[in-house]
Amino acid sequence: MLYPLGLRKLPESPGPGTHPSSFRGEQLLCEANTVLKCVQEDSCQRGIYGRLVCTDFKIAFLGDNESAPDNDEMQFKNKVIGENDITLHCVDQIYGVFDEKKKTLFGQLKKYPEKLVIHCKDLRVFHFCLRYTKEEEVKRIVSGIIHHTQAPKLLKRLFLFSYATAARNNPATDPKKHAIMFDTLQDWFRELERTKGNMKYKAVSVNEGYKVCERLPAYFVVPAPLLEEDIAFFQGRGIPIWCWSCHNGCALLKMSALPKEQDDGMLQIQKNFVDRIYKTVHRPPYETAKTEDLSSNFLSLQEIQMAYSKFKQLFLIDNSTEFWDTDIKWFSLLESSSWLDIIRRCLKKAVEIIECLEAQNMNVLLLEDHASDLCCLISSLVQVMMDPHCRTIFGFQSLVQKEWIMGGHCFLDRCNHLRQSDKEEAPVFLLFLDCVWQLVHQHPPAFEFTETYLTVLSDSLYIPIFSTFFFNSPHQKDTNVGRESQDSQSKPLNLLTVWDWSVQFEPKAQTLLTNPLYVEKPKLEKAQRKGTHFKHQRQLSLPLTQSKSSPKRGFFREETDHLIKNLLGKRISKLINSSEELQDGFREFYDGWHSRPPSYQGLLLPHLEGPEIKVWAQRYLRWIPEAQILGGGGVATMSKLLEMMEEVQRLQEKIEARHHSQEALQAEAASPPRTSGRLSSLFPFALLQRHPSKPVLPTSGWKALGDEDDLAKREDEFVDLGDV
């Protein structure tokens, strides 16, 4: 039951919903009673009374006598994180309201707020009114939440270890059922064989036990002519590491930069080393290679973090009035964040590399300081576009294991799980998922998984019962939870992989992760490419105009980089301008592919024009009621298709059986057809909610429209959410 602010309902004896469901090893840290969880609606504030608790795993609100949701609402329930649960790692910012003013909370407080506002990394916003809570409980719960979500942590103090220790006696599951883990030499042999790369490249075990380099995995693939002693010469740096082989024999590789040296003698040694190593992938005229320096000629982690920090503020909405205030300047705010432009640049860079591999028959060598951030991003995008295996669920999960987990992406630092330094934080993996979503949105039949799959995968970054995204490298994981870190007489820790979706969702909910329209075999008929038009402007991209590119950063640009100078730390830019001939080659490759019907089991290229790069509405807008399309959107269409496919399957089973009686057929024919509920466009995350029939228009921002009478006359010029 909802209670308006000011009408206090004191809780009676604890009801059935007042005890938090907990995992093994989870400990209660602090709690507060008579807390009002506010519901922001129609500019009036109402709420639900209950208990706010903080454990070493999550913050949870337990409403008084909450009624159980019906079956339709439960069909996508997360078994790990409830609707009112926030894992400690998912907390982004904490604010306190003092005399109607919102201030950021951190450290020790001298005065405690009357309302607590929590912004989450999955973009949920929670408002907890503490006006009717005992003062001592307010101090405990506010101080506890601030400390356990913002104070620096040690790795071994993460809930991951408490949960794994408590579950040590549970039956271990086989992670290889869900993805290739690439933690054995045989996994790499099989991947080389699958991509036909075993003629030119070899899997090596020189780093077994991490004797050569702690940033590299125990096993990886290098060019066949490369000597194992060369790998150890600079502790694994300056070595071309294989990512993937194209059907024409060309390969995508990555390389970390050599240490910067000032001594002339050491510089000469490095130069000779690089000359010798480069010849293993560049042997003209038989084999040529192109280098792409991602450290100096592409994005920086600071750019990515700054853009996303601005971008996410567009979706952390406190109430309906704030929504419509920002809606007036939506496009300008969206464009100023540069997030969609960064997505476009990543996709564009991947297309440039694909053109080299596919059209020019060249090896491509990606360069980066540690080859564990942008190298992971670009190499993964190239494989998703070129390899249809990576567009299946099993293949995509194996790709993430190979390029991100075994590739040494620093998830612990980039997600800031330990809260030790904001300087290392950057949502590189989220940027990758957003780029993949653009491809899924533009070419749905080419992917076995849905956008819902990508959304729950992004949420899983902050659930510390899975070990997948909570380490910086395989070495760090093996050191802390591997056999060498365990007592010889004790069982190893039972770590869960995020790829076992049965841990989070029931089988019925998992069906929403699989695309029923996935095309497993190429279709001969010409695909229709009609753009989808939304009435709600927040589901659009940047303003529908072509972005003007400067000559230095053309739409398709070729930069010739000198490998040796790049690896030695002497970065060069603006060295050679793009030739018109080369630009025409890129343009011809890009336009040529888009002029033909797409082969969903072949090469897949995105549309890169400004309006084609859109906002990932399901992830970013799912918690904003005003942004929903009632009874519409792509999900409603998908739901109907699922129902039709189930009906077709049932009819096929009946036809094959051929033994039903006429009476049974008549009885079934008389039964009413199955109907689905009226869904929201942001289903399954946002359920159908009551909305104001018309937006609350901020008059301060609409002065140009005239007075209220003029506004009423122009009412039909604006979209009425009640009619959408």
Side-chain angles (χ1 to χ4, degrees), residues 286-354:
Y286 308 105
E287 192 174 24
T288 57
K290 177 186 183 298
T291 61
E292 279 285 350
D293 184 8
L294 301 179
S295 292
S296 63
N297 297 327
F298 196 45
L299 297 165
S300 68
L301 297 183
Q302 291 76 18
E303 284 182 83
I304 296 173
Q305 174 64 10
M306 186 179 301
Y308 185 70
S309 296
K310 294 179 181 179
F311 178 72
K312 70 182 179 182
Q313 295 303 319
L314 300 175
F315 311 100
L316 295 168
I317 303 296
D318 283 339
N319 51 56
S320 180
T321 301
E322 182 180 345
F323 174 87
W324 293 110
D325 278 341
T326 57
D327 195 66
I328 298 173
K329 46 189 177 181
W330 165 256
F331 284 125
S332 60
L333 292 173
L334 181 62
E335 188 170 16
S336 65
S337 73
S338 300
W339 180 251
L340 295 187
D341 184 61
I342 284 177
I343 293 172
R344 184 189 65 82
R345 290 171 62 185
C346 292
L347 293 171
K348 168 180 166 287
K349 179 62 69 177
V351 173
E352 291 176 352
I353 291 169
I354 290 172

Side-chain angles (χ1 to χ4, degrees), residues 59-77:
I59 301 166
F61 177 78
L62 311 166
D64 296 341
N65 302 319
E66 286 187 6
S67 58
D70 57 34
N71 292 333
D72 287 338
E73 294 182 356
M74 295 288 285
Q75 63 180 325
F76 202 68
K77 177 184 177 182

Side-chain angles (χ1 to χ4, degrees), residues 680-717:
S680 159
S681 61
L682 303 180
F683 176 86
F685 300 98
L687 299 170
L688 192 61
Q689 300 181 28
R690 185 172 65 84
H691 301 278
S693 58
K694 300 195 182 297
V696 180
L697 296 176
T699 55
S700 60
W702 296 83
K703 292 181 180 179
L705 296 175
D707 56 20
E708 295 181 1
D709 293 336
D710 291 335
L711 186 61
K713 292 177 183 178
R714 301 187 185 190
E715 186 181 36
D716 57 342
E717 297 179 14

Side-chain angles (χ1 to χ4, degrees), residues 649-681:
Q649 185 177 0
R650 285 195 295 268
L651 290 173
Q652 287 177 338
E653 292 173 354
K654 292 177 184 178
I655 293 173
E656 292 172 0
R658 294 178 181 274
H659 57 74
H660 293 293
S661 65
Q662 189 65 26
E663 292 80 7
L665 290 174
Q666 291 176 353
E668 291 179 2
S671 61
R674 175 184 172 186
T675 58
S676 62
R678 194 164 180 244
L679 302 177
S680 159
S681 61

Side-chain angles (χ1 to χ4, degrees), residues 522-529 594-600:
K523 300 282 185 179
L524 296 179
E525 57 268 20
K526 186 176 181 179
Q528 296 181 354
R529 303 186 196 176
H594 282 288
S595 66
R596 299 186 297 270
S599 172
Y600 294 125

Side-chain angles (χ1 to χ4, degrees), residues 204-322:
V204 295
S205 58
V206 64
N207 198 39
E208 200 168 33
Y210 306 100
K211 296 175 292 187
V212 173
C213 178
E214 294 181 354
R215 296 188 66 93
L216 291 175
Y219 312 100
F220 51 91
V221 175
V222 295
L226 192 67
L227 302 176
E228 291 195 359
E229 51 263 33
D230 287 334
I231 300 175
F233 196 82
F234 284 106
Q235 293 78 47
R237 306 189 75 167
I239 297 297
I241 296 178
W242 176 87
C243 298
W244 181 76
S245 286
C246 187
H247 61 87
N248 58 14
C250 297
L252 178 65
L253 306 107
K254 61 183 177 182
M255 181 188 291
S256 58
L258 291 174
K260 295 182 179 181
E261 294 287 347
Q262 301 296 329
D263 181 69
D264 291 339
M266 194 62 194
L267 283 173
Q268 186 61 41
I269 293 175
Q270 288 186 345
K271 182 181 182 301
N272 296 336
F273 175 80
V274 171
D275 279 334
R276 185 173 71 255
I277 297 301
Y278 189 46
K279 291 177 182 178
T280 62
V281 294
H282 183 74
R283 294 172 293 176
Y286 308 105
E287 192 174 24
T288 57
K290 177 186 183 298
T291 61
E292 279 285 350
D293 184 8
L294 301 179
S295 292
S296 63
N297 297 327
F298 196 45
L299 297 165
S300 68
L301 297 183
Q302 291 76 18
E303 284 182 83
I304 296 173
Q305 174 64 10
M306 186 179 301
Y308 185 70
S309 296
K310 294 179 181 179
F311 178 72
K312 70 182 179 182
Q313 295 303 319
L314 300 175
F315 311 100
L316 295 168
I317 303 296
D318 283 339
N319 51 56
S320 180
T321 301
E322 182 180 345

